[in-house]
Each structure stands twice: as C-alpha cells, then as structure tokens.
Amino acid sequence: MLNWLRPDALAETYRDPVSWAVLAVDLFPIYALIQFGWDATALVFLYWLENLIIGGVTLLRMLAASTNNGPLGVASLAFLGPFFTIHYGMFCFVHGIFLAVFAAAASGGMAEADFMGPLALVGFALSTGEQMGLFVGAIIALQLFLYVRDFLGRGAFREATIQTEMMKPYGRIILLHFALFAGFGLMVAFGQPMIGVLGLILLRALWGVYQSHLRHIQPQRESLNKVDEASPI
C-alpha cells in the first residue's frame, strides 16, 4: 500500500523536475513561517484558498472531458458544471466560515466572521498572512501547468469523464480536515503550536509526494493498457 514511499519509487518520481516543483510549493509555507511570521490561521487559509483553486481547475477538467461525448457531453456539462460550482462552492464556503469563526474567536472578533459573504471570506483569507497573494499565485501557476501538461498535453482528458473529475476534489478536502485535526492533536499533545503547524505542512507535503507518484506512473499504466489492447487474445 505504501510502495510509493520506497526509495526506488521515490527516485523514479523525482526524476521529473515538476515533482520537485510540486514539493517546493508544498514546503514553501515553512519559509512563510520563518520569514513572515505566519501562524496556524494563515496556513489553514492558504490550504482553503488552494481548495478554491482546485475547484476552478476541476471545472476546466470537466470542460475538457466533456469533449469526449460530443453533444451529450456538452449537455452533461451544462447541468453538472453549475451543480458542481454551487455544491462545491457551498462546501468550501461552510468550511471557510468554520475556519474564520475559529480564527475570529481566538482574536476576540467572532461577530465579524458570522456575517461574511463569499467574497469577504476570500478577502479575509488573503489578509491572514503577509505575502499570501504570492503563495496563492504560485499554487495557481503550478495547477495550471499540471492541467496543461498532464491533462491536455498528455491526452489524459480523453480517458476522463465529467462525473469522475467532478468527484476528485472532495477527497482532498477530507484529507485537509484529517490534517487539521492531526495538527491540532500535535499542538495539544506537545503544547507547542509550531509543532502542529509544521506537522500540517509535512502531512500536506506527503500528500503531494503521493500525487506526484501517481502522475509519474500514469503514463506507464496507459502505455501498458494500449499494449494489452493491441495484443491478440
């Protein structure tokens, strides 16, 4: 199950320079902690903003996947695109309000968080850490690059379906919740907030390593499938 953590598997994964770029972006918040004095609030809102970015890229993936089925794909996208936008958007909004209330309560401004709209919530998230926009920009650039290189350039969209792509971001949000609780547990256990924050970053980076491994082996799997399909029975 953890074969992707074997040294030989990691060596294969990190032959791709993009895997190193992903790791750098995932560990970049450590620099923010040291250089800009970020705390747990800024970190969790960075990951919340990343969820929004993933949602936007998911819509692009759904759009590309819809081209596989002609008019039927366009009709499916016309229904599932708005549905995903509303459902995933509300999911992220409620999650963001929860984080904002938690942060506001810690600073004694809980009433301010109770009436935040979506745009105000995004603005609040961007204000939680110095140079937050720089980190968000790096995430956007990386996600768009992976979308163009892997999903479009390598033809992965031809094997994708709108429904499958629509469901992918939800697993990431569940993982983020797990990481938040794990980080909070570290803070409680050791009485050191920085340990919990670093634990959250490392858990997020570990997830990034796994995703990089999947990106690395996906072309190999597709090549093997094509060979199997071409082989006589």
Side-chain angles (χ1 to χ4, degrees):
M1 182 176 179
L2 296 178
N3 289 337
W4 54 279
L5 286 176
R6 296 196 325 266
D8 57 328
L10 290 174
E12 285 292 327
T13 297
Y14 285 95
R15 286 182 181 178
D16 182 2
V18 176
S19 296
W20 286 104
V22 172
L23 183 62
V25 170
D26 288 343
L27 295 178
F28 206 19
I30 294 178
Y31 176 78
L33 295 177
I34 299 172
Q35 183 67 26
F36 303 126
W38 278 22
D39 56 11
T41 298
L43 183 63
V44 296
F45 270 108
L46 174 66
Y47 293 151
W48 180 79
L49 288 166
E50 186 179 22
N51 284 338
L52 300 185
I53 296 166
I54 295 296
V57 173
T58 296
L59 284 173
L60 293 177
R61 293 171 69 98
M62 291 170 64
L63 175 62
S66 70
T67 62
N68 294 327
N69 297 317
L72 181 60
V74 174
S76 297
L77 181 66
F79 171 74
L80 292 177
F83 172 80
F84 170 78
T85 301
I86 295 172
H87 186 270
Y88 184 79
M90 288 301 298
F91 200 88
C92 288
F93 178 66
V94 172
H95 182 204
I97 286 294
F98 169 79
L99 294 176
V101 169
F102 180 79
S107 62
M110 190 170 187
E112 297 179 5
D114 291 340
F115 303 101
M116 278 189 184
L119 292 180
L121 185 58
V122 171
F124 176 77
L126 290 170
S127 71
T128 54
E130 185 178 348
Q131 298 296 326
M132 178 69 77
L134 174 65
F135 293 86
V136 171
I139 293 172
I140 291 174
L142 177 62
Q143 289 298 325
L144 289 177
F145 176 81
L146 292 174
Y147 169 72
V148 172
R149 187 196 72 162
D150 296 343
F151 200 66
L152 297 182
R154 292 179 174 176
F157 72 95
R158 297 190 182 92
E159 306 296 327
T161 66
I162 299 175
Q163 293 84 352
T164 300
E165 295 303 320
M166 182 177 69
M167 295 304 298
K168 285 182 178 180
Y170 292 96
R172 185 185 183 282
I173 292 183
I174 293 172
L175 177 73
L176 180 59
H177 277 289
F178 170 78
L180 287 173
F181 285 119
F184 179 75
L186 287 172
M187 283 187 273
V188 172
F190 293 96
Q192 294 290 335
M194 189 58 65
I195 292 178
V197 172
L198 289 174
L200 181 56
I201 293 174
L202 293 177
L203 282 172
R204 174 62 185 82
L206 193 62
W207 172 256
V209 172
Y210 176 65
Q211 292 297 307
S212 293
H213 174 72
L214 292 181
R215 278 190 295 270
H216 175 73
I217 66 174
Q218 187 63 32
Q220 301 174 10
R221 288 178 175 176
E222 292 174 357
S223 297
L224 290 174
N225 289 338
K226 290 178 181 179
V227 170
D228 291 340
E229 291 173 359
S231 299
I233 298 177

